[in-house]
Amino acid sequence: MDTSFAKWVHQYIHVVFQHAQKELRYHKEYQKDQSKQLKGRRLWGRLSKFENHVSYMKQINSESWSSLHSNAKEEISDHLHALGELSAKQVTVTELYNDFPDLRFAFGKAVAPSSRPNWTQERQRIYQLAEEKGLDKEKIETGLKYLDTYDPKKELKNIEGIVVNMYERLHLDWLRRTGALMGSRFAELVASFNLVSTPTPDSSLLPSLPAEISKKLTIINQVETEIWLSLKSKEGKTILQEKIRLLKEQTEEDIHSFTIPRLDLIASLRKENPQDPSLGNLAIEIADLARRQLQAQALADTLNWALDLEGKVLKEWIKAAQAATCYETKYQWPQPVPIDTLLASPQRYEGQDVVIEGLVKEVKIEHKGKERKVISTALVAGDTSNITVSLPFIKLDSGGLVPGAWCRLAGTWKGSSKDALGEPALEIDRIPYTKLGKESFRDWLTNQIAPIFLRIPHEIAGTWSWQKGSNGAANPLKYGVWCRHERSSKRGRR
């Protein structure tokens, strides 16, 4: 091994252990101070995204929208600053992670001292030199015993464990912090929606609204498709980052200039006629646009991080892009059936997957059995009849499905549903993004960014309009379900 390479190896190991010591001190300080508060926030960056919803809950319940809005903007600034610090760490960690194969090569050439043919003589010589320098005999013997048992392969494994742990922990820290950031962005959007008020809603804007919404969604789909194709063909980092920048800038501008005013317009018009299907469908479309715009921002942040972090995280994105056969979702919505038609011929649809639409009249959350299993039921109104929908293990209202909302839900029709105490009900489905993501890139990225943002909470096969007030669009913040909870049960998922 030449001298320059040996120096590089020494420097690499020095940086690894220096960084590891900093991380150790960091964690000790975090554990020591994690219960302390500073202006209502955690002192350290390793906060859980779910620590936010406690403060959100208070402001939402009291409908303090101005306070929620200003706090959200301040938190966005704090999160971006903390993410900048993580990015500074990322440079060192990525370099160590990417250079590890060279270290493995170096250690592959190393030989354990005890396996050298003349080790006994060399050991004695080292002892004598150490004595001549006045070193303590006990310390000399301790050092030599370490050399007696030193194994380069074990040392390499130890260093590899430290480097991989630093890489994975940094990524986890980024996910937690970015999950909190997306919560703050969502909070700003919901607060703005509740703050804006149109005294005289302009219904003349309605005829052009579907086409305008479609145009906004088309732009998002086009840029995301280009991103997928760029990853699939392994285009350069600069090209990808430019597409990501365009996606983020476009959605940020549209949210404030278009989406929030239109959300308010539809909400205002629906006050007078909540059971109007055409207004209900428009309400769903504009709410879905808001969710897609937030999801696009989460995608932009996540992919930008993967491009910088490189290594295993970026390889996952490239592998998924190359494995996908299409961009669009592979989820197939079942046949839509009017509620009155379904209830008029319930046996005809027994066990079939269908989609129903209507106005949510009420939502009930019950705990059943010894395990106190959560069962959600909701009453959805059609033209002249009401239908019950049910979902186990999940509180439906936590995602914003509340009385007054217009909903579109997919599920299996049962003439006797256990979850509805034997009454007829539509048992709501959940979308299996993990399975669908093997073919669809959009489904894969929905699942991939779920730890920081979920377009529809709990992967429910449905969508619904946004309602103003303390029980409505803000509920995912209030209950901490704007992203996939790390401890959430997998029961009910396909």
Side-chain angles (χ1 to χ4, degrees), residues 32-261:
K32 179 181 176 182
D33 295 318
Q34 65 177 345
S35 61
K36 296 181 180 179
Q37 299 286 325
L38 180 62
K39 295 181 180 179
R41 297 179 190 83
R42 292 297 187 190
L43 287 170
W44 300 97
R46 291 176 203 276
L47 82 169
S48 163
K49 46 193 169 285
F50 302 103
E51 291 173 11
N52 296 53
H53 86 265
V54 176
S55 62
Y56 293 152
M57 187 179 290
K58 294 176 183 177
Q59 292 164 342
I60 292 166
N61 285 339
S62 63
E63 298 195 7
S64 304
W65 304 116
S66 294
S67 176
L68 179 64
H69 188 269
S70 60
N71 284 354
K73 288 185 76 68
E74 189 177 345
E75 285 178 352
I76 288 170
S77 178
D78 289 348
H79 294 321
L80 290 173
H81 176 74
L83 286 168
E85 292 180 342
L86 288 178
S87 292
K89 276 187 182 181
Q90 168 267 316
V91 175
T92 302
V93 173
T94 297
E95 187 176 342
L96 292 172
Y97 190 89
N98 290 341
D99 287 348
F100 187 78
D102 291 333
L103 189 76
R104 183 182 287 116
F105 171 78
F107 270 77
K109 300 289 185 180
V111 178
S114 58
S115 65
R116 293 164 67 93
N118 56 344
W119 170 241
T120 304
Q121 292 85 349
E122 288 180 352
R123 191 183 194 283
Q124 184 60 34
R125 179 59 180 157
I126 293 170
Y127 190 96
Q128 289 172 356
L129 289 171
E131 265 194 323
E132 290 173 8
K133 290 187 177 291
L135 296 179
D136 182 74
K137 290 183 178 181
E138 189 176 338
K139 289 183 179 179
I140 297 172
E141 195 56 43
T142 300
L144 288 169
K145 283 181 180 179
Y146 170 75
L147 290 175
D148 287 337
T149 57
Y150 178 78
D151 184 346
K153 291 182 180 178
K154 288 183 179 179
E155 184 71 10
L156 179 65
K157 191 174 181 180
N158 180 38
I159 296 170
E160 182 178 24
I162 294 171
V163 172
V164 170
N165 185 51
M166 283 193 295
Y167 179 91
E168 292 179 348
R169 190 161 58 196
L170 179 66
H171 182 51
L172 179 60
D173 286 348
W174 183 90
L175 285 174
R176 288 172 174 167
R177 176 60 76 171
T178 308
L181 170 64
M182 287 307 302
S184 298
R185 284 175 176 159
F186 191 20
E188 182 189 17
L189 174 55
V190 167
S192 297
F193 168 54
N194 279 278
L195 281 169
V196 68
S197 179
T198 306
T200 309
D202 186 0
S203 58
S204 67
L205 297 171
L206 294 183
S208 63
L209 191 53
E212 289 176 308
I213 293 172
S214 178
K215 184 178 179 181
K216 303 290 183 188
L217 287 171
T218 299
I219 291 171
I220 293 173
N221 288 334
Q222 284 177 343
V223 179
E224 289 185 356
T225 301
E226 289 176 14
I227 288 171
W228 165 53
L229 294 173
S230 294
L231 282 166
K232 196 179 184 76
S233 60
K234 292 186 178 181
E235 280 188 341
K237 179 178 177 180
T238 305
I239 296 173
L240 268 167
Q241 286 178 327
E242 178 60 20
K243 291 173 182 177
I244 292 166
R245 183 189 65 79
L246 289 172
L247 178 65
K248 194 163 186 178
E249 286 182 358
Q250 186 68 51
T251 52
E252 284 178 346
E253 180 183 341
D254 285 346
I255 280 177
H256 296 287
S257 65
F258 177 83
T259 307
I260 292 173

Side-chain angles (χ1 to χ4, degrees), residues 169-449:
R169 190 161 58 196
L170 179 66
H171 182 51
L172 179 60
D173 286 348
W174 183 90
L175 285 174
R176 288 172 174 167
R177 176 60 76 171
T178 308
L181 170 64
M182 287 307 302
S184 298
R185 284 175 176 159
F186 191 20
E188 182 189 17
L189 174 55
V190 167
S192 297
F193 168 54
N194 279 278
L195 281 169
V196 68
S197 179
T198 306
T200 309
D202 186 0
S203 58
S204 67
L205 297 171
L206 294 183
S208 63
L209 191 53
E212 289 176 308
I213 293 172
S214 178
K215 184 178 179 181
K216 303 290 183 188
L217 287 171
T218 299
I219 291 171
I220 293 173
N221 288 334
Q222 284 177 343
V223 179
E224 289 185 356
T225 301
E226 289 176 14
I227 288 171
W228 165 53
L229 294 173
S230 294
L231 282 166
K232 196 179 184 76
S233 60
K234 292 186 178 181
E235 280 188 341
K237 179 178 177 180
T238 305
I239 296 173
L240 268 167
Q241 286 178 327
E242 178 60 20
K243 291 173 182 177
I244 292 166
R245 183 189 65 79
L246 289 172
L247 178 65
K248 194 163 186 178
E249 286 182 358
Q250 186 68 51
T251 52
E252 284 178 346
E253 180 183 341
D254 285 346
I255 280 177
H256 296 287
S257 65
F258 177 83
T259 307
I260 292 173
R262 300 306 184 276
L263 280 166
D264 175 66
L265 171 66
I266 300 300
S268 300
L269 290 170
R270 287 194 68 239
K271 282 182 181 179
E272 302 300 321
N273 196 358
Q275 285 194 270
D276 183 339
S278 60
L279 283 176
N281 281 314
L282 279 176
I284 284 178
E285 286 183 34
I286 193 66
D288 276 346
L289 176 61
R291 296 181 185 111
R292 279 299 308 278
Q293 288 167 332
L294 282 171
Q295 186 184 49
Q297 291 183 32
L299 162 63
D301 288 341
T302 308
L303 183 51
N304 254 334
W305 172 253
L307 289 170
D308 288 337
L309 190 61
E310 300 177 7
K312 183 173 73 172
V313 173
L314 181 57
K315 286 177 182 177
E316 286 178 357
W317 280 79
I318 295 171
K319 182 180 178 181
Q322 292 178 335
T325 58
C326 64
Y327 163 75
E328 286 296 339
T329 179
K330 297 295 285 185
Y331 181 73
Q332 298 293 319
W333 285 86
Q335 61 171 325
V337 179
I339 289 174
D340 291 353
T341 302
L342 182 58
L343 293 178
S345 308
Q347 291 182 340
R348 175 185 171 188
Y349 296 99
E350 176 66 30
Q352 290 188 32
D353 292 336
V354 298
V355 172
I356 60 103
E357 268 189 29
L359 178 70
V360 180
K361 303 291 284 186
E362 66 177 34
V363 177
K364 290 183 180 179
I365 310 297
E366 298 178 284
H367 294 80
K368 298 180 180 180
K370 294 180 180 179
E371 296 181 357
R372 305 288 292 161
K373 182 176 75 171
V374 172
I375 297 292
S376 292
T377 56
L379 198 64
V380 180
D383 291 337
T384 60
S385 309
N386 298 333
I387 194 172
T388 298
V389 299
S390 64
L391 185 66
F393 310 115
I394 288 168
K395 296 179 180 180
L396 272 173
D397 60 343
S398 68
L401 187 77
V402 297
W406 191 265
C407 70
R408 182 181 299 135
L409 299 168
T412 306
W413 172 249
K414 293 289 182 68
S416 177
S417 171
K418 291 181 181 179
D419 296 338
L421 297 176
E423 295 296 316
L426 181 77
E427 295 183 348
I428 299 172
D429 197 5
R430 298 177 72 190
I431 300 177
Y433 287 112
T434 303
K435 178 182 176 182
L436 298 178
K438 293 176 181 178
E439 295 183 62
S440 159
F441 188 69
R442 180 170 161 188
D443 290 330
W444 180 86
L445 72 85
T446 298
N447 188 60
Q448 183 75 358
I449 65 176

